[in-house]
Amino acid sequence: MRVGFIGLGMMGRPMALHLLRSGNQLAVWARRPEASGPLLAAGAVRCATAADVARRSEVVFTMVTGGADVEHVALAADGLVEGFAAGSILVDMSTIAPEKARSLARRLSARGIEMLDAPVSGGEQGAIAATLAIMVGGPAAVLERVRPLFEVLGKTIVHVGDHGAGQVAKACNQMVMVGAIQAVAEALHFGRAAGADPARVRQALAGGSAGSRALEVMGARMVERNFAAGVEARLHDKDYAVVLAEAHRLGVPLPVSAAVCQQLNALMAKGWGHLDTAVLLRILESVGSGR
């Protein structure tokens, strides 16, 4: 297929490479030209604008930071909408508010353009290994048109429902995942305060019902004091703002998520947004210490 990709960060770049290496024609645009270097070397075409990407593509993937970024890429002057032919598809794999996804889908539909919201879980390693979980919102018939491309990127593809439903599922994913990271931080912090070796506590928990991916990966980072970013904490802070805003709109109480959001706010206030979310441990340690 003729495919476009916009958003060549730590996840977008390996995803775009998979699409290119699986035999698709690939057009790219990046705000930072150097981000497209590995793709150009592999045969991708660099475009001057998002509209040029759309002119060359049947399907364009976006993998950018937030809803305003998706909206700008799609609808601004020289945006995708200026280049798309009727019947083209925008697949947004960013994590944005469900209502923003629905609004974008409505506006694109008025121009004869299809859209799927298809956020992912699995992080940079999942993007590199092509093992992402893809949560899809939008028409089932449109999903079937792009399913071969999704199968290049991930192992699990679930059609959650209509427009916005993929983003609802991603919000739920972030609630469970970051909530678990906070729980691991609290357990290891409590263990140390009570006189136990956090490494031994983690080892003990891993063999029982508390064993989890969060304990395995993030717990190891906490024990090793390795807070170099896997996924930058600022992105989880952004995602939790989406979760809490949507909960407020719906009148749904999320007491645990609200508490985790406050810990992320504290983390951002410390200037630690570019560190890994495992740094939630340091927020607990800083309470009462003045650090």
Side-chain angles (χ1 to χ4, degrees):
M1 296 181 72
R2 292 180 293 111
V3 178
F5 210 106
I6 295 175
L8 303 176
M10 67 177 189
M11 293 187 64
R13 188 161 50 245
M15 293 165 69
L17 277 169
H18 287 311
L19 291 168
L20 179 60
R21 289 169 177 167
S22 64
N24 300 290
Q25 299 175 45
L26 185 70
V28 299
W29 175 78
R31 286 177 294 184
R32 296 180 299 106
E34 64 273 17
S36 60
L39 292 157
L40 302 182
V45 174
R46 180 164 59 197
C47 296
T49 66
D52 289 339
V53 172
R55 291 186 186 101
R56 289 176 170 269
S57 306
E58 303 163 72
V59 180
V60 174
F61 291 82
T62 50
M63 187 66 164
V64 294
T65 301
D69 303 297
V70 182
E71 188 170 43
H72 183 80
V73 166
L75 299 176
D78 283 332
L80 294 170
V81 73
E82 299 297 325
F84 268 141
S88 300
I89 303 170
L90 169 60
V91 178
D92 179 42
M93 307 191 88
S94 318
T95 299
I96 67 175
E99 190 52 41
K100 176 66 75 174
R102 296 182 191 110
S103 173
L104 285 167
R106 287 192 297 268
R107 283 179 282 175
L108 291 171
S109 178
R111 306 284 288 267
I113 301 162
E114 302 283 2
M115 179 176 167
L116 297 174
D117 51 285
V120 301
S121 180
E124 182 180 11
Q125 290 307 308
I128 292 169
T131 57
L132 294 168
I134 306 174
M135 313 164 203
V136 187
V142 178
L143 167 58
E144 292 312 308
R145 287 174 60 189
V146 301
R147 185 178 290 275
L149 301 176
F150 283 161
E151 289 173 343
V152 171
L153 302 175
K155 279 192 170 181
T156 305
I157 303 160
V158 177
H159 183 218
V160 186
D162 205 352
H163 294 298
Q167 295 297 347
V168 171
K170 181 60 185 289
C172 294
N173 180 86
Q174 302 306 75
M175 290 162 62
V176 172
M177 180 184 66
V178 185
I181 296 170
Q182 176 66 23
V184 170
E186 291 185 18
L188 297 184
H189 180 56
F190 170 77
R192 181 186 296 276
D197 180 349
R200 296 292 181 89
V201 170
R202 174 179 168 273
Q203 182 182 5
L205 297 180
S209 57
S212 67
R213 178 74 172 162
L215 182 66
E216 176 190 352
V217 176
M218 307 303 277
R221 290 179 180 176
M222 293 174 195
V223 168
E224 295 163 5
R225 314 293 297 179
N226 176 15
F227 301 118
V231 176
E232 293 184 358
R234 66 182 178 87
L235 298 176
H236 287 149
D237 179 69
K238 179 266 298 183
D239 295 347
Y240 261 68
V242 169
V243 168
L244 270 293
E246 188 71 3
H248 185 269
R249 186 182 73 83
L250 296 170
V252 174
L254 300 177
V256 173
S257 294
V260 173
C261 187
Q262 290 304 307
Q263 293 297 99
L264 289 167
N265 286 345
L267 181 158
M268 295 297 292
K270 291 282 190 181
W272 296 342
H274 290 283
L275 299 177
D276 191 88
T277 305
V279 81
L280 282 168
L281 175 66
R282 288 182 61 191
I283 292 297
L284 297 170
E285 293 172 342
S286 68
V287 173
S289 68
R291 287 182 292 172

